[in-house]
Amino acid sequence: MSDTIIAGLALLVSVINVVLYFRLQGKYNEMTRTQMLTAQGAIETQVRNSISDATKEVLHYATEVEKNPSSKVIQQAYFSAEEMYRNAYEDACAKYLDRKIDVERFEKMYKQEINKLVNAPQQKEFYATNQTTYASTVAVYKKWFSQS
C-alpha cells in the first residue's frame, strides 16, 4: 500500500512539473518575443535616424553649394552627403532583405522614397549599372516595382 501512495505522489509531482514547465515555457516564449520586437524596434529607429540625418546633410550642403557654387570643398562635402544618403538607404534595404525589420511597415514607409531615389535623374547613374554598389537598394526596388 505504501508503494501505491509513493507511486501516486510521484505521479502527482510529475504532473505538477509538466504543468509548470508549460507555463514557464509560455512565459519564456513571450519574453523572447518581446525582446525580439524591442530589438527590431531599435533597428527601425536607427534606420529612420540614419536616413533622416543623411537627408538633413544633403539639404544643408545643397544650400551651401547654392550660396557658394565655386567652392570645391563645399561641392565635395555635398557629394559626400549624397553618398551618405544613398548608403543610409542601402543599409535600410539590406536590413529589409534580411528581415531584421518589419517588412510591411518598411514598405509602407519607404516605397515611394526608394522609387524617387532610384529614378532621380541625379542619382540614376548609381543604380542603373549591373555592378552597382547599392545592390540591396536595387533588389528592393525591383522586388516592389517589377511586379507593378
Side-chain angles (χ1 to χ4, degrees), residues 30-131:
E30 184 59 32
M31 284 175 25
T32 303
R33 178 170 153 51
T34 300
Q35 288 175 339
M36 189 216 35
L37 290 174
T38 301
Q40 191 177 50
I43 293 170
E44 289 174 10
T45 299
Q46 175 195 15
V47 164
R48 206 170 9 263
N49 289 341
S50 177
I51 290 172
S52 177
D53 291 347
T55 302
K56 289 174 190 172
E57 285 289 307
V58 168
L59 293 173
H60 169 74
Y61 285 111
T63 303
E64 292 300 315
V65 167
E66 281 184 18
K67 290 178 188 174
N68 192 355
S70 62
S71 172
K72 298 289 183 201
V73 172
I74 294 175
Q75 287 177 0
Q76 187 58 43
Y78 174 75
F79 293 136
S80 293
E82 274 195 332
E83 184 176 8
M84 186 172 85
Y85 180 75
R86 289 188 299 272
N87 287 339
Y89 275 99
E90 177 66 10
D91 184 51
C93 289
K95 285 177 173 57
Y96 167 86
L97 292 171
D98 291 342
R99 301 184 79 73
K100 291 183 178 177
I101 56 178
D102 184 301
V103 293
E104 290 177 19
R105 184 172 28 248
F106 182 82
E107 184 173 353
K108 286 178 187 172
M109 290 178 68
Y110 296 109
K111 187 172 186 175
Q112 294 309 314
E113 295 300 318
I114 290 172
N115 185 36
K116 288 178 194 174
L117 176 66
V118 171
N119 291 310
Q122 68 273 23
Q123 300 292 331
K124 219 169 181 138
E125 68 181 279
F126 298 102
Y127 298 103
T129 66
N130 288 335
Q131 306 248 315

